[in-house]
Amino acid sequence: MRVSVVGQGYVGLTAAACLADQGHLVTGVERDPERLRSLQRGVLPFSEPGLPELVFGMTTEGRLRFVRACAEGPQPDAVVLAVGSPQLPSGGADLRQVSAAMAEILSLRESPAMVVVKSTVPPGTSSRLLTTDTRMNGRSLRERYVYSPEFLSQGSALDGWRNPARIVVGTETPSLLPLVEDLYRGIDAPWVLTTPTNAEMIKYASNAFLATRISFINEIANLCDEIGASVDDVIRGIALDPRLGGDFLRPGVGYGGSCFPKDTKALAHLSNLKGRAMPLLESVIAVNNAQRIRVTQLIDEELADRPGATIAVLGLSFKPDTDDIREAPSIPIVSDLLASGYRVQVWDPAVSGSVVETAYPGAVRFLNTRDAVEGAAAVIVLTEWPQVLAADWSELAERMREPRLVVDGRNCLDPNRLVPLGLRYRGFGRGLQTGAGTPLTLAEQAQT
Ligand SMILES: NC(=O)c1ccc[n+]([C@@H]2O[C@H](COP(=O)([O-])OP(=O)(O)OC[C@H]3O[C@@H](n4cnc5c(N)ncnc54)[C@H](O)[C@@H]3O)[C@@H](O)[C@H]2O)c1
């Protein structure tokens, strides 16, 4: 099948490369001139494990190429729309990219047999588009339209595309299904066949539920800190219940990235527009915002007698294996630390120097963890990069200054490894661990 994928961001480029790998002849459409030039030169505009090699392989084989506008590529059988749907100041979704890309598709000289929208759009968006009886060359868009949300996760995008937990297909035209099957050929996953509105809702409800789990465990962790309980034991006990499981139950600085923050807000915004508050979801968002403030509170508590101390921030991206800092907790945290007068030294293996300069003005960037922690009274871990987990913490401890505090914003380090090195450890729901009189959990007692 000849497929055009409109929008070559994290989702679109992954889709384009994987669809080419599945045997389709793919044109990636990107309107941003700099991003397009970079793709045409074979340089990826962002980092995603495995994607550069796949894009190189597919372009070399002539199964993937990049153009600026849909009309510049060969006439497609199917168009996949993967443009951005960022957040508006109101909290709602900004659908201007989606509308502009759709207008471009509708004006193609020959209309494609199928238009598959993968961008995350608020429930009701497709329905509105279809009820206006939008036409492509005289034929109703409804006859060609599929809403199929994307669930991939940055950092493991290729695996997310190739091995999804499910494929959701929202359409009012069942005769399109053989084409959809052909598009997703080679992917073995259960299908949820439904209406476009339900498919849109599935995407938002999934992200809202995952965000809820994160905020829920953060509240439990905060209470664990108050009463001296170990959140790690609590999570172990929760996770063994098959009704609950253990995914998305890691306390810390909260969720970030280009999806959870904007999608939770867009869903709450939509519900408010309909005259129905969503108090649970509003609380999920509020708890998440508060977690970031907790980090600076912990630092202020511990470094009260050291104004202007140096603080090292390890990890800026919202999760490992990506350079994406959209809505990353690191942005408000670094800004708050600088505003409180601390000197902030940052390290991240994927976020570039120019991005650090613009998004973290005032912070000093280092190229390795050792230099970043030099002279720091406290280290804050904001991304669980493998380099942080595998770091030689005894060397890092030696390079730090008193009180040698480690704030583990992802509960990803083992305090039992750090505390004997003379580090003060502060996780979430793990209390302050200093080595002196830190109680062992029952599980630890059983192991000794
Ligand atoms: N990033 C994720 O992990 C993820 C996961 C699931 C779903 N989504 C959703 O998928 C969509 C895309 O996300 P993303 O992170 O890839 O976005 P992105 O902002 O990284 O990329 C969007 C790209 O589309 C391009 N574009 C916009 N209008 C265009 C047009 N008319 N023609 C050609 N190119 C155009 C932009 O220049 C940009 O490069 C969003 O709706 C997002 O919510 C994202």
Side-chain angles (χ1 to χ4, degrees):
M1 198 192 285
R2 278 167 307 167
V3 185
S4 290
V5 181
V6 184
Q8 294 295 289
Y10 292 87
V11 171
L13 184 56
T14 303
C18 288
L19 287 167
D21 194 31
Q22 286 159 234
H24 300 295
L25 200 58
V26 181
T27 305
V29 184
E30 175 53 55
R31 71 170 180 186
D32 179 85
E34 204 178 314
R35 185 164 275 205
L36 176 64
R37 256 196 310 278
S38 160
L39 287 167
Q40 287 172 332
R41 282 202 324 268
V43 180
L44 261 59
F46 49 80
S47 91
E48 179 60 43
L51 195 52
E53 296 80 355
L54 186 62
V55 169
F56 178 75
M58 293 302 110
T59 47
T60 310
E61 286 180 30
R63 280 147 70 180
L64 173 60
R65 68 184 189 112
F66 301 102
V67 300
R68 199 196 58 81
C70 269
E72 290 176 13
Q75 176 59 37
D77 303 308
V79 177
V80 173
L81 199 150
V83 298
S85 50
Q87 191 186 309
L88 287 167
S90 64
D94 181 346
L95 297 177
R96 280 174 298 180
Q97 290 184 41
V98 176
S99 310
M102 190 55 88
E104 206 181 312
I105 295 166
L106 293 173
S107 67
L108 280 174
R109 211 161 16 90
E110 283 174 57
S111 43
M114 179 169 73
V115 177
V116 180
V117 175
K118 292 198 81 62
S119 300
T120 303
V121 296
T125 304
S126 299
S127 172
R128 260 198 314 281
L129 186 68
L130 299 179
T131 47
T132 52
D133 191 27
T134 314
R135 299 208 151 247
M136 293 195 291
N137 291 324
R139 296 199 53 177
S140 161
L141 175 63
R142 184 187 297 270
E143 291 167 30
R144 320 272 172 111
Y145 188 88
V146 175
Y147 182 72
S148 182
E150 183 50 56
F151 297 93
L152 65 74
S153 186
Q154 286 170 232
S156 55
L158 292 185
D159 185 52
W161 177 276
R162 291 167 172 160
N163 302 299
R166 74 295 209 191
I167 291 177
V168 176
V169 178
T171 187
E172 294 177 1
T173 309
S175 58
L176 285 175
L177 293 181
L179 271 180
V180 186
E181 263 173 32
D182 189 22
L183 182 77
Y184 285 129
R185 66 169 81 136
I187 301 179
D188 183 19
W191 274 40
V192 179
L193 185 55
T194 184
T195 65
T197 303
N198 291 346
E200 290 162 343
M201 193 66 187
I202 289 169
K203 172 65 188 173
Y204 277 91
S206 301
N207 277 359
F209 198 9
L210 292 171
T212 301
R213 287 175 70 95
I214 295 170
S215 282
F216 172 78
I217 203 63
N218 275 331
E219 277 204 331
I220 295 294
N222 294 343
L223 183 57
C224 284
D225 275 334
E226 295 298 332
I227 63 171
S230 155
V231 79
D232 298 310
D233 280 8
V234 173
I235 292 170
R236 256 199 304 276
I238 292 173
L240 286 170
D241 184 331
R243 294 171 303 174
L244 302 172
D247 290 344
F248 283 77
L249 289 182
R250 184 187 284 183
V253 286
Y255 57 78
S258 68
C259 291
F260 288 3
K262 84 172 168 73
D263 293 349
T264 45
K265 285 183 202 145
L267 192 58
H269 178 77
L270 174 69
S271 193
N272 277 319
L273 286 181
K274 300 286 172 197
R276 258 181 206 286
M278 289 184 97
L280 179 59
L281 192 56
E282 300 280 4
S283 301
V284 166
I285 296 165
V287 168
N288 197 58
N289 292 337
Q291 285 306 106
R292 292 152 188 212
I293 298 164
R294 260 183 74 76
V295 173
T296 33
Q297 280 170 343
L298 286 177
I299 291 287
D300 285 340
E301 276 166 28
E302 291 276 331
L303 302 186
D305 54 349
R306 290 180 170 78
T310 297
I311 295 175
V313 172
L314 302 185
L316 298 171
S317 57
F318 80 97
K319 64 188 289 199
D321 291 324
T322 181
D323 57 349
D324 197 351
I325 56 158
R326 288 179 286 184
E327 295 281 334
S330 61
I331 296 175
I333 290 173
V334 168
S335 159
D336 283 357
L337 292 171
L338 287 166
S340 302
Y342 296 110
R343 176 185 155 85
V344 182
Q345 307 185 156
V346 302
W347 166 86
D348 189 287
V351 178
S352 70
S354 58
V355 170
V356 170
E357 256 174 48
T358 45
Y360 305 88
V364 186
R365 175 176 179 251
F366 288 88
L367 295 177
N368 61 61
T369 52
R370 289 186 311 280
D371 291 342
V373 307
E374 188 73 52
V379 167
I380 306 176
V381 175
L382 291 182
T383 318
E384 61 275 41
W385 281 104
Q387 294 92 321
V388 172
L389 307 187
D392 180 349
W393 278 92
S394 61
E395 189 190 349
L396 299 190
E398 274 171 28
R399 288 174 175 250
M400 290 174 68
R401 289 221 181 107
E402 287 293 324
R404 295 192 165 77
L405 172 70
V406 176
V407 176
D408 183 358
R410 297 291 176 189
N411 270 17
C412 60
L413 300 170
D414 179 0
N416 295 322
R417 234 182 87 211
L418 268 53
V419 171
L421 305 172
L423 292 161
R424 287 166 76 80
Y425 176 89
R426 199 69 222 235
F428 286 75
R430 293 172 156 182
L432 170 67
Q433 307 206 21
T434 63
T438 304
L440 289 177
T441 64
L442 284 177
E444 286 162 352
Q445 286 175 34
Q447 281 164 14
T448 53

